[in-house]
Amino acid sequence: FADLVRWLATAARRAGVTHYEVWNEASALGHWSDDMATLIELHRVSYETVKAVDPAMQVLGGCTHSWTFDFLRAFAEAGGGQHCDGLSVHGYTYQPEDYKDQFDQLDAITRHCANGRDSFKAYVTEIGFRYPAFSLENQAKFLVLYTLEAASRGNIGAMLWFRFTNPRQEILSGYRQNSSTGYALVGHGGSYCRPALAAYRWTERLLQHFDVVAEGPANDRLYHLRINGTPRALARFRPSGGPMPTAAGWRLFDACGTPLETPTDLTFAIAPDALGLMS
């Protein structure tokens, strides 16, 4: 196995890869069929081998298929954090209302694994909300919400949306990972663009210019979007709706960057002098 990892890490370094994920969704039934002790040994061999090839490459461990905290806690308690530079999580869920608690638990486990290492972070290496289980509007909204929450946390290294476009001709019924219409922002061959594509572009522009600080409970979460420490925009997730705490002249937008007259459950408000950054 070390020979295999050495070959992979060597090819990855030549290709410019900076992060190596040890195992895909080991928490999922059938993806890892051995015990935790053997998984930790697999991480040890992988970590030492990758670092021998490229000490700068970041090795991510504990990869889950969802917010599987019992698995992550067992990985942490077994010493898994000693054999990686960060945790990897796949953030799929059918309980998006639990987003704050999910990040709170991930924070605690990440701190335990870090053992004082400031560079040790958690990486959400896949996240998506599959259509039609979620409406196209909710798919976009929850991708933005989870990304805002990740950006407000100090120990999240990445938030990767799954997936941008489908690589194969799509099927119209059932689910197959490489040919289903479920997650894609853009259809195969550019056959469609979903609201999530607009949400992606909008969120990417926001995070280019603003730092994010969050406050409040999950059902009334306020994100302060700051430039040099000064709030110049806000985002509020409030399923019950209600007014935005903004100054005169601030403009309202939804999760896709569409102008609003009245707030929705996820609303952005941007100061006039900051709007030019978004053009």
Side-chain angles (χ1 to χ4, degrees):
F1 184 77
D3 289 341
L4 171 63
V5 172
R6 187 176 300 107
W7 175 76
L8 289 169
T10 301
R13 180 184 60 181
R14 291 171 181 164
V17 172
T18 58
H19 292 70
Y20 185 100
E21 198 169 56
V22 172
W23 198 266
N24 182 59
E25 298 188 349
S27 61
L29 183 65
H31 285 221
W32 177 254
S33 300
D34 212 317
D35 57 22
M36 182 60 71
T38 308
L39 183 64
I40 299 299
E41 177 65 6
L42 186 85
H43 278 72
R44 184 191 67 78
V45 171
S46 299
Y47 184 78
E48 293 176 358
T49 304
V50 170
K51 291 297 185 180
V53 171
D54 184 357
M57 191 175 293
Q58 299 293 289
V59 178
L60 307 183
C63 179
T64 64
H65 70 289
S66 184
W67 303 88
T68 316
F69 295 113
D70 288 346
F71 175 87
L72 281 178
R73 277 188 282 268
F75 180 82
E77 293 296 331
Q82 301 173 31
H83 309 301
C84 55
D85 300 305
L87 294 178
S88 58
V89 173
H90 290 177
Y92 302 109
T93 181
Y94 289 99
Q95 289 79 43
E97 66 278 3
D98 294 337
Y99 71 100
K100 183 178 179 297
D101 179 66
Q102 291 162 357
F103 278 99
D104 286 343
Q105 292 193 62
L106 182 60
D107 278 349
I109 297 169
T110 302
R111 286 194 299 271
H112 178 90
C113 288
N115 195 26
R117 290 174 286 170
D118 292 337
S119 62
F120 193 99
K121 298 182 182 298
Y123 296 76
V124 183
T125 55
E126 289 183 24
I127 188 169
F129 295 89
R130 184 163 64 91
Y131 173 80
F134 293 88
S135 70
L136 295 180
E137 291 74 17
N138 282 339
Q139 180 184 64
K141 177 181 66 181
F142 288 128
L143 283 168
V144 173
L145 176 64
Y146 271 73
T147 303
L148 282 175
E149 187 64 31
S152 75
R153 306 277 175 154
N155 59 358
I156 303 294
M159 171 68 69
L160 307 181
W161 293 17
F162 181 87
R163 70 176 60 222
F164 188 82
T165 187
N166 272 326
R168 299 180 186 172
Q169 190 69 37
E170 295 172 341
I171 59 174
L172 299 179
S173 63
Y175 177 71
R176 295 178 186 172
Q177 181 157 288
N178 290 319
S179 58
S180 173
T181 63
Y183 290 103
L185 280 61
V186 178
H188 178 75
S191 57
Y192 58 79
C193 293
R194 287 186 169 154
L197 177 64
Y200 178 84
R201 291 170 59 87
W202 171 251
T203 307
E204 191 242 355
R205 289 176 182 175
L206 285 169
L207 297 183
Q208 280 183 5
H209 302 289
F210 297 101
D211 297 323
V212 184
V213 176
E215 66 174 359
N219 63 352
D220 192 5
R221 194 80 162 147
L222 192 64
Y223 299 94
H224 300 271
L225 308 180
R226 308 182 308 175
I227 300 175
N228 297 324
T230 302
R232 304 310 300 144
L234 294 170
R236 189 180 201 179
F237 179 65
R238 191 180 191 187
S240 60
M244 288 285 289
T246 59
W250 286 40
R251 293 184 59 188
L252 303 183
F253 300 87
D254 68 9
C256 296
T258 303
L260 295 171
E261 293 296 327
T262 57
T264 62
D265 51 356
L266 179 59
T267 305
F268 290 85
I270 302 180
D273 63 331
L275 282 173
L277 297 174
M278 307 303 299
S279 61

